[in-house]
């Protein structure tokens, strides 16, 4: 369940996308909530969606419900970095630099 990175983050980490995690700040780029921004409160892997704080709809009985958003419709604007995530980004950065290199054939 990956989402694309913003232009600044993509230039910094030399990768286009990364799996979304709880605590990342994302911006909705598609759908009726386009332009809204907030932190990821829940990654619902069973339904392939994420829930973002401040994205809530009012039900007819007065209750509030979280609006599910598919990760492909958001853009990560700020990463919650920890040790594991930095190693993943380092690995992806190293792979991308060697991806287009041509080796000499015998």
């Amino acid at each position: 369940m990956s989402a694309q990175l913003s232009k600044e983050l993509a230039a910094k980490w030399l990768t286009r996308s990364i799996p979304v995690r709880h605590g990342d700040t994302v911006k909705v780029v598609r759908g009726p909530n386009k332009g809204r921004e907030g932190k990821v409160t829940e990654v619902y892997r069973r339904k392939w969606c994420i829930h973002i704080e401040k994205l809530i709809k009012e039900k007819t009985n007065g209750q509030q419900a979280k609006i599910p958003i598919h990760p492909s419709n958001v853009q990560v604007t700020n990463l919650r970095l920890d040790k594991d995530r930095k190693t993943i980004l380092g690995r992806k950065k190293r792979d991308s630099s060697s991806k287009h290199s041509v080796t000499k054939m015998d």
Side-chain angles (χ1 to χ4, degrees), residues 18-57:
I18 192 164
V20 181
R21 281 194 186 171
H22 173 81
D24 289 344
T25 305
V26 296
K27 180 180 180 183
V28 181
V29 292
R30 297 276 187 277
N33 295 304
K34 182 177 180 177
R36 308 240 343 238
E37 195 167 351
K39 279 192 174 183
V40 176
T41 57
E42 184 180 8
V43 179
Y44 204 150
R45 291 175 20 175
R46 186 175 185 180
K47 287 189 176 180
W48 282 79
C49 69
I50 60 173
H51 293 122
I52 304 168
E53 70 179 8
K54 302 176 191 170
L55 276 182
I56 298 171
K57 68 178 177 181

Side-chain angles (χ1 to χ4, degrees), residues 35-86:
R36 308 240 343 238
E37 195 167 351
K39 279 192 174 183
V40 176
T41 57
E42 184 180 8
V43 179
Y44 204 150
R45 291 175 20 175
R46 186 175 185 180
K47 287 189 176 180
W48 282 79
C49 69
I50 60 173
H51 293 122
I52 304 168
E53 70 179 8
K54 302 176 191 170
L55 276 182
I56 298 171
K57 68 178 177 181
E58 189 87 15
K59 291 168 65 170
T60 55
N61 63 1
Q63 286 183 326
Q64 293 183 340
K66 301 173 190 171
I67 299 174
I69 305 288
H70 196 272
S72 66
N73 296 332
V74 299
Q75 187 177 53
V76 178
T77 56
N78 194 4
L79 291 170
R80 193 193 82 197
L81 289 173
D82 57 356
K83 188 179 80 169
D84 296 330
R85 207 140 196 221
K86 283 184 180 179

